[in-house]
Amino acid sequence: MTLSANNLSVLFGSRRVLHDTGFDALQPGQLTALIGPNAAGKSTLFRTIAGLVTAKSGTVMLGGQNLDQLSARKRLQQVCFMPQFFTANAALSVFDVVLMAQKQLAGWRVRTEEMTAVAQNLHDAGIGHLADAYIGELSGGQAQMVSVCQALTRQSEVYLFDEPTSALDLRHQLDVMTRIRDAMRARGAVGVMALHDLNLAARYADHLVLIGGGKILAQGSPDQVLSDPVIAQTYDVEIQTALGPRKELNVHAYAD
């Protein structure tokens, strides 16, 4: 099912954060990078799609269904949201929090095959050695990898990842990006990821959406969006793109 938004307006008190914001239908099996400067509205857009923020006007459509017409439980089943900052009880183990994500919408009686699946998910994420560690003992990067694993444990139609690589070193950034992209393709799910790193967006995303000042300013393929003059205006830097030796799009930004 495709995901689209039309004319979303969100106010926090008297401050308008999203201004009649919308994006074209995002395709299943593809990864979209939501890019834009700080305070552009990325997190608010994600929280609105997930149903955690109520829009003053506008709609979010999944296939032919208006998500506002779903129950909170059904929306939670359809849309998996990974927030920018990982939150969990510090006294729980890594295994516990991933298991809870798997059981969240399926009852609480734990079966042997579910325990095995959690162990496999942790292994696939490269964090099997952290299974017995308490959440409060983790570094920021480790917690972020657990958060990604927790999200991908869920079986949803839409996955929203708010800056999933911000605390990771280069190797783990590439690992996480590859894992998310491959999961969206394998599941035929819509994946949307907020990113600050334009090179990661160019390398891994099928589609880019540029947001600034609470408005969608450009959307399309990476080469289309990254070559649009509006991106330099939005970030207030000079942007240059070039194809690398592997035909990958490389982005260079220069401040005045």
Side-chain angles (χ1 to χ4, degrees):
M1 290 188 284
T2 61
L3 176 74
S4 60
N6 299 284
N7 301 319
L8 290 176
S9 291
V10 172
L11 281 73
F12 292 157
S14 60
R15 182 169 64 94
R16 188 177 294 270
V17 182
L18 297 182
H19 305 259
D20 295 324
T21 300
F23 51 82
D24 298 336
L26 306 182
Q27 300 301 313
Q30 293 190 356
L31 183 61
T32 293
L34 180 65
I35 60 175
N38 292 333
K42 297 186 294 295
S43 294
T44 299
L45 179 57
F46 273 177
R47 293 174 68 83
T48 304
I49 295 170
L52 302 176
V53 168
T54 301
K56 181 178 177 60
S57 60
T59 57
V60 180
M61 305 293 294
L62 180 59
Q65 176 69 58
N66 183 343
L67 289 181
D68 283 342
Q69 296 175 349
L70 299 179
S71 67
R73 179 181 176 84
K74 185 66 174 177
R75 191 164 185 163
L76 186 61
Q77 288 176 327
Q78 300 275 31
V79 180
C80 175
F81 171 50
M82 180 195 132
Q84 183 176 354
F85 302 105
F86 181 58
T87 57
N89 189 322
L92 293 175
S93 72
V94 168
F95 190 96
D96 290 337
V97 299
V98 175
L99 178 62
M100 288 173 64
Q102 180 164 304
K103 297 298 296 177
Q104 187 174 19
L105 300 169
W108 292 105
R109 178 173 295 179
V110 178
R111 302 189 300 272
T112 300
E113 56 267 30
E114 292 171 330
M115 301 278 283
T116 302
V118 169
Q120 186 63 51
N121 288 339
L122 291 171
H123 172 77
D124 292 345
I127 53 175
H129 62 290
L130 296 176
D132 296 327
Y134 291 109
I135 293 299
E137 300 172 344
L138 302 182
S139 69
Q142 289 172 331
Q144 196 160 48
M145 288 191 289
V146 172
S147 186
V148 171
C149 182
Q150 187 184 49
L152 291 179
T153 296
R154 296 262 306 275
Q155 296 295 323
S156 301
E157 298 289 343
V158 175
Y159 293 82
L160 308 174
F161 300 90
D162 196 352
E163 298 190 34
T165 62
S166 59
L168 301 180
D169 60 36
L170 180 59
R171 168 60 187 273
H172 288 103
Q173 286 180 17
L174 301 180
D175 287 347
V176 164
M177 293 294 296
T178 299
R179 190 159 182 258
I180 291 174
R181 181 191 61 190
D182 291 351
M184 297 305 102
R185 291 177 178 175
R187 301 177 188 190
V190 175
V192 191
M193 179 183 300
L195 286 174
H196 279 298
D197 190 320
L198 298 183
N199 278 296
L200 285 179
R203 180 172 182 174
Y204 286 95
D206 303 290
H207 186 78
L208 299 187
V209 174
L210 173 65
I211 185 171
K215 299 179 180 179
I216 301 301
L217 304 175
Q219 53 188 317
S221 66
D223 59 335
Q224 289 174 324
V225 174
L226 293 172
S227 62
D228 191 322
V230 73
I231 194 166
Q233 299 167 9
T234 303
Y235 282 96
D236 194 25
V237 295
E238 181 182 348
I239 300 284
Q240 294 181 358
T241 59
L243 285 178
R246 297 183 181 181
K247 304 301 183 183
E248 293 174 340
L249 193 63
N250 294 319
V251 184
H252 305 277
Y254 305 91
D256 293 336

